[in-house]
């Protein structure tokens, strides 16, 4: 049965006539109608004052209301009144319903041209892409007010508009990538897996090729969610299908990835058998450091024989309660302390906004701006050791985590690093200690010049982050004075007895601080090498060989400190295992590096000769037979190109003739000789 809503809500009092001269007519229809239970609920809801000027239309179809001033019908989806209020304000000038929270552009008469609106929308979408913002961020009240003040009349794109634009951009760039990689004769890809904190798995495929001008091109070919099990055959099928869709599979030559068994085994499932596997050098560096210094080896539970069993139980309970206190304190700091810290940073002018370049993050310098942001906020957000343990992923594949009996020096190194971790966790888990250290840092920065200010925050290392242990140790070393002051002041700080005992247990001695410095000096070249390999310009394989050779030289160089020499030998043993003893990968690295002057300079003369013989043999097997028929005519008509003439002119002007005899013919031997001379002269 159709029901009608009682129309008493549309009666008008004579007290609201702001902005108008005529009172709205009153309704004479006082009908008693049947109502359903739902109707009763609706009638019991407090009525808005807007219904003094409107009555609900009783016709079937979309919900509508009729203005009693002008008899205009307006739609009211879900019984909303926003449209009705806007009508009263804009048409009848009743300011009573002009919301103070409404952005000013809702009543402005400024209109932008279509081209200007389109350009601003594109900037908004690009901002969302570059900054990783939510699609609806520009619809938030504060942002809309700011935008309206900066550009009156501009309405930011709705989240649905953003989604449509992102889909259009995806199609555009996908087609553009296909066209760009059509000219590639040979293709190399890098691929990797990882999981987010929600345990969603992702696969990214990045393509690399060199054009006819020897310019290098690198671009992400596919970034996708991988919902299947990480079996080798499934990974191989997915990569192959993605490259087939891009018409690039037949051009694929090498795949660079980590050394996880599923990644190694996937090469046997490709429909082509001539795809070469390259083990990621950065992953190898990580394995060398983690397994040589036992960074993540499980610690054995030590029993305190002098204090007896009671001391053991007390220590265990203390750790449990401390962990609970850490969790609570982290929640409190997340809600309050970060704001105070940010305010202090602004007050002390410690933001580093002097315009100086911060590209490098060396031992004595400050963190670059991105690293500062990561150390100050992001690290604290994603550092959760239990979460990282569960999301093992390929980042920690091959890292030794088993409980191991260590010799004297390795155990000493492990104990020092474990203590350092516990110091950082203790400070970050206590708002009192965090505040103490932060005040010490700010007071220090006030006394020194900008170059010597400490801007990084204490960070904990995690298994799934390269170089995180080096960053932790180096930052703790920068805070050495503050941390020692904390240990001295622990009796005067408002700490619990358990917290004081814990600080006493983890306090570093002078010898341990010295050992910490030795570990930092040992790790710094590996940290720098990883940064080079992780550069956005995608370093060539020649750079990787040069770095490996340089690191080997660093580890074999004798130092005045016996402990440092012992540490170098420990790391060198793992370096030998993962780099030198992996003969197939090391030979592949040297072969490809030969064609890069950077890698060529790292090869010994013996290694160069061996590779040149392999190149000659490969050339004869693959190319010589197909060129035999036309070789004689080509040799007679072969002319020196302009680039050859230019190089010869330059070398003669510097007394460095490229070849003693004129180049009338081109053979594999002459090409090798020319390249060797050129590469050698470039790096002399």
């Amino acid at each position: 049965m159709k029901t009608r809503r009682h129309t008493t809500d549309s009666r008008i009092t004579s007290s609201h006539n702001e902005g108008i001269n005529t009172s709205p007519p009153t309704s004479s229809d006082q009908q008693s109608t049947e109502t359903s239970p739902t109707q009763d609920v609706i009638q019991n809801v407090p009525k808005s004052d807007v219904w003094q000027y409107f009555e609900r239309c009783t016709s079937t179809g979309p919900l509508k209301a009729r203005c009693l001033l002008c008899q205009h019908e307006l739609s009211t989806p879900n019984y909303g009144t926003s449209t009705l209020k806007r009508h009263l304000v804009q048409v009848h000038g009743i300011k009573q319903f002009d919301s103070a929270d409404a952005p000013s552009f809702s009543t402005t008469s400024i209109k932008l041209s279509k081209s200007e609106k389109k350009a601003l929308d594109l900037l908004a979408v690009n901002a969302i892409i570059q900054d990783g913002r939510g699609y609806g961020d520009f619809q938030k009240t504060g942002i809309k007010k700011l935008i309206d003040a900066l550009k009156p009349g501009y309405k930011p794109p709705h989240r649905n508009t953003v989604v449509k634009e992102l889909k259009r951009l995806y199609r555009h760039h996908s087609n553009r990538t296909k066209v760009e990689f059509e000219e590639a004769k040979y293709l190399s890809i890098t691929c990797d897996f990882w999981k987010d904190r929600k345990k969603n798995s992702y696969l990214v495929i990045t393509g690399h090729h060199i054009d006819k001008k020897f310019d290098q091109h690198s671009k992400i070919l596919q970034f996708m969610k991988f919902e299947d099990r990480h079996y080798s055959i499934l990974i191989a099928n997915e990569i192959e299908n993605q490259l087939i869709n891009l018409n690039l599979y037949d051009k694929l030559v090498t795949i660079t990835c980590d050394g996880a068994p599923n990644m190694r085994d996937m090469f046997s499932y490709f429909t082509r058998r001539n795809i070469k596997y390259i083990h990621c050098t950065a992953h190898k560096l990580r394995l060398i450091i983690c397994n040589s210094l036992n960074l993540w080896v499980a610690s054995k539970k030590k029993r305190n024989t002098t204090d007896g069993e009671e001391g053991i139980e007390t220590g265990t309970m203390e750790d449990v309660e401390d962990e609970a206190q850490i969790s609570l304190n982290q929640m409190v700091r997340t809600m309050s302390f970060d704001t105070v810290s940010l305010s202090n940073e602004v007050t002390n002018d410690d933001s580093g906004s002097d315009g100086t370049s911060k590209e490098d993050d060396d031992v004595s310098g400050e963190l670059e701006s991105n690293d500062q942001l990561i150390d100050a906020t992001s690290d604290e957000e994603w550092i959760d050791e239990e979460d990282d343990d569960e999301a093992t992923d390929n980042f920690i594949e091959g890292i030794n985590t088993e409980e191991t009996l260590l010799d004297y020096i390795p155990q000493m190194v492990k104990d020092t690093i474990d203590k350092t971790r516990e110091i950082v966790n203790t400070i970050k888990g206590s708002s009192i200690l965090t505040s103490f250290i932060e005040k010490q840092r700010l007071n220090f920065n006030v006394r020194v010049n900008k170059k010597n200010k400490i801007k990084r925050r204490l960070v904990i290392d995690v298994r799934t982050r390269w170089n995180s242990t080096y960053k932790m140790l180096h930052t703790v070393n920068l805070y050495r004075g503050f941390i020692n002051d904390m240990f001295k002041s622990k009796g005067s700080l408002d700490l619990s007895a358990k917290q004081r005992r814990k600080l006493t247990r983890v306090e570093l001695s002078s010898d341990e601080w010295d050992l910490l410095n030795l570990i930092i000096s040992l790790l710094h070249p590996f940290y720098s090498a990883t940064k080079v390999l992780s550069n956005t310009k995608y370093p060539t394989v020649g750079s990787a060989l040069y770095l490996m050779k340089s690191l080997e030289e660093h580890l074999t160089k004798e130092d005045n400190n016996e402990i440092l020499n012992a540490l170098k030998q420990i790391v060198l043993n793992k370096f030998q295992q993962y780099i030198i003893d992996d003969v197939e990968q090391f030979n592949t690295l040297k072969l490809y590096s030969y064609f890069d002057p950077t890698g060529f300079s790292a090869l010994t003369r013996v290694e160069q000769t061996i590779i040149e013989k392999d190149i000659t043999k490969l050339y004869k097997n693959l190319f010589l037979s197909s060129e035999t028929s036309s070789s004689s005519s080509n040799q007679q008509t072969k002319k020196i190109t302009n680039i050859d003439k230019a190089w010869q002119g330059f070398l003669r002007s510097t007394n460095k003739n490229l070849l003693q005899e004129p180049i009338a013919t081109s053979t594999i031997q002459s090409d090798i000789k020319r390249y060797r001379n050129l590469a050698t002269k470039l790096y002399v």
Side-chain angles (χ1 to χ4, degrees):
M1 176 183 296
K2 291 196 299 182
T3 60
R4 291 188 179 183
R5 181 174 179 176
H6 205 281
T7 57
T8 56
D9 60 349
S10 62
R11 290 194 173 275
I12 307 170
T13 62
S14 59
S15 60
H16 298 287
N17 288 332
E18 300 181 19
I20 57 174
N21 297 323
T22 306
S23 298
T26 59
S27 173
S28 61
D29 184 13
Q30 300 290 338
Q31 300 180 25
S32 296
T33 57
E34 297 182 10
T35 58
S36 65
T38 305
Q39 189 90 26
D40 294 335
V41 174
I42 295 174
Q43 288 182 337
N44 290 332
V45 176
K47 299 180 179 62
S48 171
D49 291 342
V50 74
W51 290 108
Q52 300 173 21
Y53 300 91
F54 286 90
E55 67 175 356
R56 176 69 65 188
C57 296
T58 57
S59 59
T60 59
L63 295 173
K64 290 186 178 182
R66 181 182 296 108
C67 178
L68 299 179
L69 300 177
C70 62
Q71 302 303 312
H72 184 70
E73 292 186 359
L74 301 172
S75 61
T76 57
N78 297 324
Y79 296 97
T81 59
S82 299
T83 305
L84 309 183
K85 292 178 180 179
R86 192 180 303 114
H87 174 80
L88 293 176
V89 172
Q90 297 180 354
V91 177
H92 300 292
I94 303 177
K95 303 300 182 182
Q96 170 188 353
F97 301 102
D98 189 3
S99 175
D101 292 333
S104 59
F105 59 74
S106 62
T107 59
T108 185
S109 59
I110 299 176
K111 292 185 178 180
L112 304 178
S113 63
K114 289 185 178 180
S115 59
E116 190 175 8
K117 176 73 164 58
K118 184 177 180 180
L120 292 173
D121 285 349
L122 183 59
L123 286 175
V125 173
N126 287 338
I128 290 173
I129 295 172
Q130 294 177 12
D131 299 338
R133 306 302 307 173
Y135 296 168
D137 278 4
F138 286 103
Q139 294 299 314
K140 295 180 178 179
T141 304
I143 295 294
K144 292 174 78 173
K145 287 183 178 179
L146 174 63
I147 293 175
D148 186 56
L150 297 174
K151 192 67 178 178
Y154 173 63
K155 295 183 179 180
H158 190 268
R159 59 179 294 111
N160 294 338
T161 305
V162 174
V163 171
K164 291 179 182 178
E165 181 63 16
L166 290 176
K167 290 180 178 179
R168 186 194 67 80
L169 288 173
Y170 174 79
R171 292 191 298 268
H172 168 74
H173 287 286
S174 295
N175 295 332
R176 186 176 176 181
T177 299
K178 286 184 180 180
V179 174
E180 180 180 337
F181 276 76
E182 279 181 356
E183 66 177 58
K185 189 175 182 181
Y186 302 105
L187 175 73
S188 295
I189 67 170
T190 55
C191 59
D192 200 3
F193 278 100
W194 71 91
K195 294 178 183 177
D196 61 16
R197 303 194 72 171
K198 295 180 180 179
K199 303 298 183 289
N200 295 317
S201 184
Y202 298 93
L203 170 66
V204 62
I205 303 173
T206 307
H208 316 271
H209 79 94
I210 297 176
D211 60 20
K212 296 179 181 179
K213 297 180 180 179
F214 287 91
D215 292 328
Q216 183 174 319
H217 299 269
S218 298
K219 181 172 287 189
I220 292 178
L221 302 178
Q222 186 58 264
F223 185 97
M224 55 177 292
K225 191 173 181 179
F226 196 88
E227 298 180 344
D228 296 324
R229 299 291 297 273
H230 289 192
Y231 293 136
S232 300
I233 186 172
L234 298 179
I235 299 173
N237 291 339
E238 188 62 46
I239 293 176
E240 184 170 331
N241 291 334
Q242 293 295 336
L243 294 179
I244 289 175
N245 292 336
L246 294 170
N247 298 323
L248 295 176
Y249 181 65
D250 293 335
K251 302 177 181 181
L252 182 60
V253 177
T254 66
I255 298 179
T256 301
C257 55
D258 57 55
N262 56 350
M263 302 302 286
R264 282 180 176 268
D265 295 341
M266 73 175 177
F267 288 84
S268 60
Y269 294 102
F270 287 118
T271 56
R272 290 175 48 208
R273 291 293 181 265
N274 57 343
I275 301 174
K276 195 73 174 178
Y277 162 63
I278 305 294
H279 193 165
C280 175
T281 305
H283 278 87
K284 284 196 170 187
L285 291 181
R286 176 165 174 75
L287 292 176
I288 291 170
I289 294 302
C290 289
N291 291 342
S292 62
L293 299 183
N294 303 291
L295 296 183
W296 303 108
V297 169
S299 299
K300 289 187 176 181
K301 299 295 182 182
K302 295 184 178 180
R303 289 181 170 269
N304 192 340
T305 55
T306 58
D307 295 337
E309 289 295 324
E310 182 178 355
I312 297 173
E313 294 178 358
T314 303
T316 304
M317 289 299 297
E318 174 188 334
D319 291 339
V320 172
E321 294 185 17
D322 284 346
E323 289 177 4
Q325 181 69 18
I326 286 173
S327 178
L328 177 60
N329 286 333
Q330 284 178 339
M331 293 172 60
V332 174
R333 288 195 305 108
T334 302
M335 292 185 288
S336 61
F337 184 77
D338 287 344
T339 305
V340 177
S341 175
L342 180 60
S343 176
N344 290 336
E345 283 290 303
V346 176
T347 304
N348 288 277
D349 190 24
D350 195 22
S351 59
S353 58
D354 55 348
T356 56
S357 174
K358 297 178 182 176
E359 297 255 330
D360 297 328
D361 181 15
D362 53 17
V363 174
S364 59
E366 303 293 337
L367 278 177
E368 57 189 354
S369 57
N370 288 338
D371 284 345
Q372 289 178 25
L373 180 61
I374 291 174
D375 288 346
T377 57
S378 299
D379 276 355
E380 295 182 9
E381 291 173 3
W382 51 248
I383 288 174
D384 185 338
E385 291 191 358
E386 291 184 1
D387 183 65
D388 287 316
D389 287 343
E390 293 173 4
T392 54
D393 240 347
N394 291 345
F395 282 110
I396 62 171
E397 183 66 40
I399 294 178
N400 184 20
T401 58
E402 300 294 329
E403 189 173 321
T404 306
L405 184 63
L406 303 176
D407 294 334
Y408 175 71
I409 292 182
Q411 186 63 54
M412 186 169 55
V413 170
K414 176 171 175 50
D415 291 342
T416 301
I417 295 177
D418 287 346
K419 268 191 176 183
T420 306
R421 285 197 191 109
E422 202 163 355
I423 289 173
V424 176
N425 277 327
T426 303
I427 294 173
K428 292 171 72 68
S430 169
S431 59
I432 296 174
L433 297 179
T434 302
S435 178
F436 178 87
I437 293 294
E438 181 66 7
K439 288 178 181 177
Q440 292 282 324
R441 184 184 73 87
L442 294 177
N443 291 335
F444 173 83
N445 287 341
V446 171
R447 299 192 304 268
V448 299
N449 55 36
K450 287 185 177 181
K451 183 179 180 181
N452 296 323
K453 290 180 185 294
I454 298 177
K455 299 180 181 179
R456 67 181 67 187
R457 304 301 200 276
L458 286 173
V459 293
I460 193 69
D461 61 338
V462 288
R463 303 183 189 190
T464 56
R465 296 294 183 269
W466 293 338
N467 294 322
S468 63
T469 300
Y470 170 80
K471 284 187 174 183
M472 178 189 70
L473 298 179
H474 179 42
T475 308
V476 167
N477 194 49
L478 286 177
Y479 279 64
R480 177 173 179 173
F482 313 152
I483 293 174
N484 284 334
D485 289 342
M486 178 190 69
F487 286 129
K488 293 177 183 178
S489 305
K490 63 179 180 289
S492 60
L493 295 175
D494 187 19
L495 300 173
S496 66
K498 294 177 181 178
Q499 287 176 317
R500 293 192 186 98
R501 288 198 298 270
K502 188 172 185 180
L503 285 179
T504 302
R505 188 176 72 248
V506 300
E507 185 171 358
L508 293 174
S509 65
S510 298
D511 291 340
E512 288 172 325
W513 280 112
D514 293 341
L515 179 59
L516 199 67
N517 275 306
L518 294 179
I519 299 172
I520 292 171
S521 66
L522 176 69
L523 295 182
H524 184 245
F526 287 86
Y527 165 78
S528 301
T530 305
K531 290 196 68 174
V532 172
L533 292 171
S534 304
N535 193 281
T536 56
K537 297 298 182 182
Y538 291 95
T540 63
V541 69
S543 300
L545 179 66
Y546 186 90
L547 293 170
M548 293 302 100
K549 293 278 190 174
S550 300
L551 288 174
E552 184 181 15
E553 182 180 352
H554 166 69
L555 294 174
T556 54
K557 184 178 180 180
E558 289 288 331
D559 196 270
N560 294 330
N561 190 294
E562 293 183 1
I563 296 179
L564 181 57
N565 290 333
L567 290 176
K568 285 184 175 182
Q569 185 60 49
I570 293 171
V571 178
L572 182 61
N573 292 338
K574 290 297 180 181
F575 185 92
Q576 176 82 23
Q577 173 185 339
Y578 288 109
I579 303 296
I580 309 300
D581 293 346
D582 193 353
V583 178
E584 181 180 358
Q585 281 293 307
F586 195 47
N587 287 339
T588 301
L589 181 65
K590 290 189 288 187
L591 173 63
Y592 291 158
S593 298
Y594 177 90
F595 298 99
D596 181 354
T598 303
F600 184 90
S601 65
L603 293 169
T604 64
R605 190 67 187 91
V606 174
E607 290 172 333
Q608 293 173 7
T609 302
I610 294 174
I611 293 173
E612 288 165 359
K613 290 180 180 179
D614 293 338
I615 294 172
T616 302
K617 185 185 299 184
L618 182 65
Y619 171 79
K620 290 179 179 179
N621 294 336
L622 296 180
F623 302 105
L624 193 59
S625 58
S626 61
E627 297 179 356
T628 303
S629 58
S630 58
S631 60
S632 58
S633 59
N634 288 341
Q635 290 178 2
Q636 293 176 357
T637 59
K638 181 76 175 180
K639 294 183 179 180
I640 301 177
T641 62
N642 290 333
I643 189 62
D644 290 331
K645 292 179 180 178
W647 268 113
Q648 287 184 359
F650 168 75
L651 294 173
R652 278 196 297 269
S653 68
T654 56
N655 297 320
K656 294 180 180 179
N657 288 327
L658 187 61
L659 292 173
Q660 298 299 326
E661 67 278 0
I663 306 175
T665 62
S666 178
T667 62
I668 184 62
Q669 288 79 11
S670 63
D671 287 342
I672 289 175
K673 184 178 180 181
R674 181 190 305 180
Y675 172 73
R676 188 193 313 123
N677 289 335
L678 181 59
T680 303
K681 288 179 172 61
L682 286 175
Y683 279 82
V684 167

